Amino acid sequence: MSGSPMIHPTAIVASSAELGTGVEIGPYAIVEDNVYIGDGTRVDAHAVIKQYTRIGKRNHIHSHALVGGAPQDLKFRGEVTWLELGDENTIREFATLHRGTEGGGGITRIGSNNLCMAYTHVAHDCHVGSHIVLSNGATLGGHVTVDDFAIIGGLSAVHQFSHIGTHAFVGGMTGVAQDLPPWMLAAGSRALVHGPNLVGLRRIGASRETIGALKKAFRLVWRSELSRAEALEQLTSEYENIPELMEFVNFIYKSERGLCPAEKNLSKGVDDDAATR
């Protein structure tokens, strides 16, 4: 990518903003002071990039999105905090991405290759990984962590300080109030864990052994009479050679909010035979 930035004559770009090569700023877009936009990024008509925002390369900010907005936090007093956006993200119409707060470390960080669909919201101090999909209207409260490859369904909301693990799947219209471990699927008006994210596991070519181990992990952690510590100890002793399983175990050990509960209908649980299908 080469060439000077292409700025539409109706756009407003602050003199202190730094634009990389090949950046496109569309009609009526606004780019404020203390903004850094990497090479090849496109900002469409009427989008707003607020101050104290760093944007990487080859992102596409669609019309009417707001990137780097001030935190919706009553403790915020206008201090200098930042939003950092990685490379090759797609931010669709009316999405809102807010910068951090002093109490949360001063930065909201979003990785690369993410899709934030229309009307999604990433609140202050969130740490969002890469290759994540936030479906239409999905909302992350403040201080939320979302790990790589997770999918958050449309019109879902994640409570402040919650943690969504890698390759986890949150169904549409779901309220997530606690942590959702990696590779698990949750849905319901209040998030209930239904078992492993089998579609996601198969998409990445997970082995039958890995899928079977995660199904057993679901049963031991949410369905058995073992204490959580006993369940994790048993899983570690049996499957320490399976990285996905150990990531699941380590996530639970580190959980601060506790885990989303399981759905109560045992007939819908993960069956033993399915582990070999």
Side-chain angles (χ1 to χ4, degrees):
M1 179 77 61
S2 61
S4 300
M6 293 174 284
I7 303 174
H8 193 275
T10 62
I12 300 174
V13 179
S15 59
S16 69
E18 297 184 18
L19 309 183
T21 59
V23 168
E24 299 180 37
I25 308 295
Y28 301 100
I30 298 174
V31 179
E32 294 188 346
D33 290 312
N34 300 300
V35 168
Y36 306 83
I37 301 180
D39 299 349
T41 289
R42 176 178 169 182
V43 180
D44 284 351
H46 295 281
V48 178
I49 313 299
K50 302 291 285 185
Q51 61 182 342
Y52 307 121
T53 298
R54 299 187 187 98
I55 298 175
K57 299 177 180 180
R58 297 179 299 281
N59 293 281
H60 189 176
I61 315 298
H62 285 252
S63 296
H64 303 285
L66 185 145
V67 177
Q72 296 179 131
D73 187 327
L74 294 175
K75 299 185 295 300
F76 182 69
R77 293 292 181 268
E79 59 269 20
V80 175
T81 59
W82 290 86
L83 170 76
E84 288 190 355
L85 185 66
D87 302 329
E88 299 183 346
N89 295 286
T90 299
I91 312 300
R92 293 304 302 254
E93 298 82 0
F94 297 99
T96 53
L97 314 179
H98 287 181
R99 55 194 176 98
T101 65
E102 189 174 47
I107 189 165
T108 299
R109 183 173 285 114
I110 301 171
S112 300
N113 300 105
N114 297 301
L115 171 58
C116 296
M117 294 186 187
Y119 293 93
T120 54
H121 176 63
V122 178
H124 59 88
D125 305 296
C126 286
H127 285 194
V128 178
S130 298
H131 302 281
I132 289 162
V133 176
L134 299 181
S135 301
N136 296 74
T139 296
L140 305 182
H143 310 273
V144 165
T145 298
V146 182
D147 293 336
D148 296 350
F149 296 99
I151 297 176
I152 312 295
L155 302 176
S156 293
V158 182
H159 193 280
Q160 298 97 314
F161 295 98
S162 295
H163 188 178
I164 307 297
T166 183
H167 288 275
F169 184 96
V170 176
M173 301 181 67
T174 295
V176 181
Q178 292 177 285
D179 296 341
L180 178 61
W183 313 101
M184 293 293 127
L185 182 151
S189 59
R190 287 293 181 181
L192 299 175
V193 183
H194 291 256
N197 177 15
L198 297 179
V199 172
L201 284 162
R202 289 166 180 152
R203 281 177 178 169
I204 66 166
S207 68
R208 295 171 68 185
E209 181 185 18
T210 296
I211 294 174
L214 287 167
K215 287 182 175 183
K216 184 170 184 179
F218 170 73
R219 291 195 299 271
L220 289 182
V221 171
W222 282 280
R223 295 289 191 220
S224 75
E225 296 182 358
L226 296 175
S227 69
R228 187 146 292 165
E230 291 170 335
L232 296 179
E233 183 177 354
Q234 181 175 332
L235 291 169
T236 300
S237 66
E238 291 185 22
Y239 299 112
E240 61 180 354
N241 63 318
I242 298 179
E244 294 86 353
L245 195 285
M246 294 311 302
E247 189 167 9
F248 170 88
V249 168
N250 291 330
F251 179 100
I252 296 176
Y253 275 128
K254 295 176 181 177
S255 173
E256 296 182 358
R257 286 190 59 80
L259 305 184
C260 296
E263 52 91 17
K264 295 180 180 180
N265 187 346
L266 294 179
S267 66
K268 295 182 180 180
V270 178
D271 59 277
D272 289 326
D273 290 340
T276 61
R277 290 176 189 165

